[in-house]
Amino acid sequence: MTQQRQLPQLVMRRASLADLPPFRLPEGYACRSLQPGDEAHWERIVKLAFGRERSFRESIQSHFYYRPGRVLFLCREGIPVATACAWQEPEWGEDWGYLHMVGVDPAFAGQGLGYAVSLAALHRMKEDGKACAVLETDDFRLPAIRTYLKLDFRPDVPSEALLSRWKQAYRELGLPYGVKVMSATRPGSAASANEDALVVDPEAHVYGVVDGVSAMLPYKDEAGFTGGRIAAALLVEALGAGDRGDASEPPGHSDHSHHSDHSQYDLAEAVLRANAALMQHMLDAGVDVAAKWKRWGAVFAIVRWRRTHLEYVQAGDCMLLARYRDGSVRTLTRNQVAEFDLKALQAKQQLLKDDTLPAEKVSQRLKPVFKCNRDKANAPDGYAVMNGDPALAYTMEYGRISCANVVRIYAVTDGMFHFIENDDDPRKWEKLVDALDERGIEPYMDELEREEALDPDCERHPRHKKSDDKSAVILDLPNGPETSFARS
């Protein structure tokens, strides 16, 4: 090959095989282990994938750990096109499986076959009693490294020289070194726009969620954006984030020149800039800002990773949580809106007990309750919300925590937890993040939507509406400073 191999090779480790994602075959493919005659297919795939010939007998069959069931293939119309070995090498120890000889026929590249066949090999390792997994790769195999990162492998960095090589690989991949990001957002209803937004800015290491809050009076601009969606987009822009979720950029806010130096801006200052911009936007739109219930707004939960510590800002009912190396969960924020939402919900339930009241009458009688709640925005006895009020500077929460032993950070909007929002269970937040860890963001959203569909009248789980916009960002952090990746 034309690329120059550096020695020693790069090493990546997966700390546990207990939490493997389920194996799903790409459409049109089958997975099987080695069958008689597949030796030639293995040699063909390896030559195409690595650019050099290798003998199956010498490289695989003569190895002490060889079993046909440990050599896996993905097949298209019965022909193997991708391969991986669920292996073991003595130097790594009995508990460590070794992901070996992952190769894909280039004619079938770009279909996720490397990920799929590697995951199949990891499941086989787990069946063989392995507790964790390790692999070796080359600096120039960037697509493979990206695949291994998706499979939750992490760099092994026992020296400064290897740290430099890993940082270079991450730069070439366009990824933040040491951090893995998972995120998703979706609207509460297919008939309505998503007023949530994601904040995902790897360059500045800024991540989180924003939940737009529309005024009680309906509003849409010429582009069809609601007030809540505009507010969310303004905050995402002020933070300089690259991933806006569904809250697309409103007209007149496309200049990002004031964020040319991502390393210097302060999170709280960025929020206050967006807050001032929102006030101007509302004035330009003719909104009567003297009445808080007529204002647009956004609540948020944002973190910035600083390697040794995390900075955060939060308002309203978006939540931030942290998981530590020992498995414990820390709630970094509080749901500032919960008590006000609960009062409105109790008032609604009381009105619904009167079967003679039509739905429109119930809505009319609830309006004073909702207006009263909106008047608590940024008040000393209320809650924080970005609604153009300068008092946000005093009501939003912000601060920093040490990264020591923090392995995962979660940012979620209230649509992810409205079933448990008023639950007295002291472990409800821990159970939420346990469910996210077990299922993943998208499957968790799917399950939540199924439960919502079974409770369309909001009786089993009392709440204001059947379904709300849902967003989550999860960060996997290195276990301490960069050099702590050292081999044990």
Side-chain angles (χ1 to χ4, degrees), residues 389-407:
D389 187 344
L392 175 63
Y394 309 105
T395 59
M396 71 173 168
E397 296 194 348
Y398 56 92
R400 57 179 282 173
I401 65 167
S402 167
C403 278
N405 296 309
V406 177
V407 295

Side-chain angles (χ1 to χ4, degrees), residues 466-482:
K466 172 186 170 184
S467 182
D468 199 1
D469 301 337
K470 301 170 178 63
S471 296
V473 174
I474 299 177
L475 303 184
D476 277 350
L477 302 180
N479 293 329
E482 292 170 334

Side-chain angles (χ1 to χ4, degrees), residues 53 118 147 206 247 337 344 351 377 385 414 464:
E53 293 186 356
S118 297
T147 295
V206 176
V337 183
L351 289 170
V385 58
D414 64 325
H464 289 293

Side-chain angles (χ1 to χ4, degrees), residues 105-338:
D105 183 335
F108 296 87
Q111 300 181 51
L113 303 189
Y115 177 94
V117 76
S118 297
L119 182 56
L122 293 175
H123 276 281
R124 178 55 202 255
M125 292 176 198
K126 185 177 179 181
E127 292 171 7
D128 285 345
K130 304 303 178 187
C132 29
V134 64
L135 62 87
E136 294 174 286
T137 189
D138 296 307
D139 305 57
F140 55 81
R141 300 194 189 281
L142 297 175
I145 291 173
R146 188 183 293 275
T147 295
Y148 300 143
L149 289 169
K150 290 179 181 177
L151 287 163
D152 288 332
F153 281 89
R154 291 292 176 267
D156 193 21
V157 187
S159 69
E160 287 296 323
L162 281 168
L163 175 61
S164 177
R165 287 168 61 186
W166 272 115
K167 285 186 173 181
Q168 179 60 30
Y170 270 68
R171 279 193 293 271
E172 293 183 27
L173 286 168
L175 296 173
Y177 180 80
V179 176
K180 176 188 174 185
V181 185
M182 297 158 281
S183 63
T185 183
R186 63 174 67 170
S189 166
S192 60
N194 188 355
E195 292 184 321
D196 280 6
L198 302 177
V199 179
V200 179
D201 188 348
E203 183 181 352
H205 296 309
V206 176
Y207 309 95
V209 293
V210 183
D211 184 355
V213 182
S214 286
M216 292 177 62
L217 293 177
Y219 172 86
K220 285 188 178 180
D221 66 6
E222 294 179 355
F225 292 135
T226 63
R229 196 172 180 189
I230 292 170
L234 285 169
L235 180 53
V236 173
E237 180 188 10
L239 292 165
D243 186 345
R244 299 178 180 277
D246 270 3
S248 304
E249 181 177 296
H253 289 271
S254 59
D255 179 13
H256 289 258
S257 60
H258 57 289
H259 290 306
S260 58
D261 185 354
H262 288 272
S263 64
Q264 296 302 317
Y265 77 83
D266 178 84
L267 286 183
E269 289 177 358
V271 171
L272 295 178
R273 280 199 302 272
N275 191 50
L278 177 60
M279 174 59 85
Q280 189 59 53
H281 233 76
M282 290 187 291
L283 292 173
D284 292 344
V287 175
D288 177 13
V289 296
K292 288 185 179 181
W293 62 275
K294 296 181 180 179
R295 294 188 182 193
W296 319 331
V299 293
F300 48 86
I302 312 293
V303 296
R304 183 175 191 175
W305 179 54
R306 291 286 202 175
R307 300 188 185 278
T308 59
H309 63 276
L310 285 161
E311 301 165 352
Y312 68 90
V313 288
Q314 184 265 353
D317 50 7
C318 292
M319 293 294 292
L320 286 171
L321 303 107
R323 187 179 295 278
Y324 285 78
R325 190 184 301 177
D326 63 2
S328 60
V329 174
R330 176 181 177 183
T331 307
L332 301 180
T333 56
R334 64 181 290 268
N335 184 344
Q336 303 173 26
V337 183

Side-chain angles (χ1 to χ4, degrees), residues 334 336-337 339-340 373 375-384 395:
R334 64 181 290 268
Q336 303 173 26
V337 183
E339 63 176 290
F340 305 102
N373 282 353
D375 285 340
K376 296 294 184 181
N378 298 310
D381 59 346
Y383 56 90
T395 59

